[in-house]
Amino acid sequence: MTDHHKTSGTNPARVANDAFQRLVEIVAQLRGPDGCPWDKQQTPKSMIPYLLEETYEVVEAIEESDPDALRGELGDLFFLVLLQVQMAKESEKFQLSDVLNEISDKLIRRHPHVFQRGDGKKEHSVDEILENWERIKMSEGRDSRLDGVPKNMSGLLRAQRIQEKAAQVGFDWDELEPVVAKLHEEIDELLAAWQSENAERVEEE
């Protein structure tokens, strides 16, 4: 394994590239014939608890404004991500380049105000950007704005994300009275759809 840590030079991009490649090689060696027995016996599913744990540790470091802890926890998370990629590579499902190119393509596609604005430099509000983001996601084949909220997310966090997405289409109020009125309105629409015996309308409502 190349000692990237000592030979990367002073160019920031080269340093980052060499450090990333070094970690990729370390993960591959851990899974290799002479690697670590624990790493070699792991599966994508067996790593789920560790992914969740490390993600929460990243969040904790952010909330505590601890850059030293955050640096370390992000490293742990990088390791687990690359371990998942290495396992996928071994089973010939996908490669690291597939992962990186897919997220790059997605970011470009969902940020037309940055990558496709041409000569015009129109400024977009955050609300406009979020609305466009959701519109593009729907054009990618999603049936609902809520499709991107993981079903196994913790209940409280899932409720928050659903509420945020609902707020983007007007389901957001500062007072209780409009909420109650909206509930009655939606119930009436559901009953009307039910009475029409139109299954598609019922599902929509």
Side-chain angles (χ1 to χ4, degrees):
M1 183 166 56
T2 305
D3 190 353
H4 297 278
H5 185 59
K6 295 181 179 178
T7 62
S8 55
T10 57
N11 182 292
R14 173 70 185 279
V15 171
N17 181 71
D18 285 357
F20 184 73
Q21 184 59 36
R22 179 175 179 239
L23 181 57
V24 170
E25 292 177 5
I26 289 171
V27 173
Q29 186 169 338
L30 289 172
R31 290 278 299 179
D34 299 321
C36 170
W38 185 89
D39 291 283
K40 289 163 63 176
Q41 75 175 12
Q42 297 311 310
T43 67
K45 287 187 177 180
S46 75
M47 296 307 297
I48 289 174
Y50 303 101
L51 278 166
L52 292 172
E53 179 181 350
E54 292 301 339
T55 300
Y56 279 114
E57 289 180 358
V58 167
V59 171
E60 184 176 298
I62 293 171
E63 290 179 338
E64 293 180 354
S65 301
D66 188 338
D68 292 332
L70 179 59
R71 181 181 63 243
E73 299 303 343
L74 287 173
D76 292 340
L77 195 55
F78 260 117
F79 162 66
L80 294 178
V81 170
L82 290 178
L83 186 59
Q84 288 285 341
V85 173
Q86 178 63 29
M87 290 187 285
K89 178 182 177 181
E90 293 165 5
S91 59
E92 299 183 346
K93 292 179 180 176
F94 54 79
Q95 306 270 341
L96 176 59
S97 58
D98 298 322
V99 175
L100 298 177
N101 284 325
E102 185 166 328
I103 184 56
S104 293
D105 291 343
K106 181 187 293 185
L107 290 172
I108 291 171
R109 185 172 63 250
R110 293 188 183 178
H111 291 82
H113 55 288
V114 175
F115 298 102
Q116 301 170 22
R117 59 184 178 183
D119 295 331
K121 301 239 183 225
K122 178 188 172 183
E123 293 294 326
H124 295 267
S125 70
V126 172
D127 287 341
E128 288 175 326
I129 291 169
L130 290 175
E131 177 57 33
N132 199 36
W133 177 280
E134 291 295 336
R135 181 185 60 77
I136 294 171
K137 283 166 63 175
M138 293 295 292
S139 73
E140 294 171 351
R142 296 193 176 186
D143 296 323
S144 164
R145 285 175 177 257
L146 305 183
D147 281 354
V149 183
K151 293 181 175 61
N152 56 359
M153 182 182 284
S154 67
L156 188 59
L157 187 56
R158 177 172 163 79
Q160 178 182 340
R161 290 294 293 130
I162 290 176
Q163 184 175 345
E164 289 172 354
K165 287 178 175 289
Q168 293 172 4
V169 291
F171 282 78
D172 190 25
W173 298 270
D174 295 325
E175 303 292 337
L176 179 61
E177 287 77 7
V179 177
V180 174
K182 189 64 179 176
L183 281 170
H184 283 295
E185 177 187 333
E186 295 298 334
I187 291 171
D188 289 342
E189 291 176 0
L190 175 58
L191 289 173
W194 182 267
Q195 291 167 356
S196 73
E197 299 184 350
N198 185 321
E200 290 185 0
R201 270 193 67 197
V202 171
E203 183 176 355
E204 179 182 352
E205 294 302 336

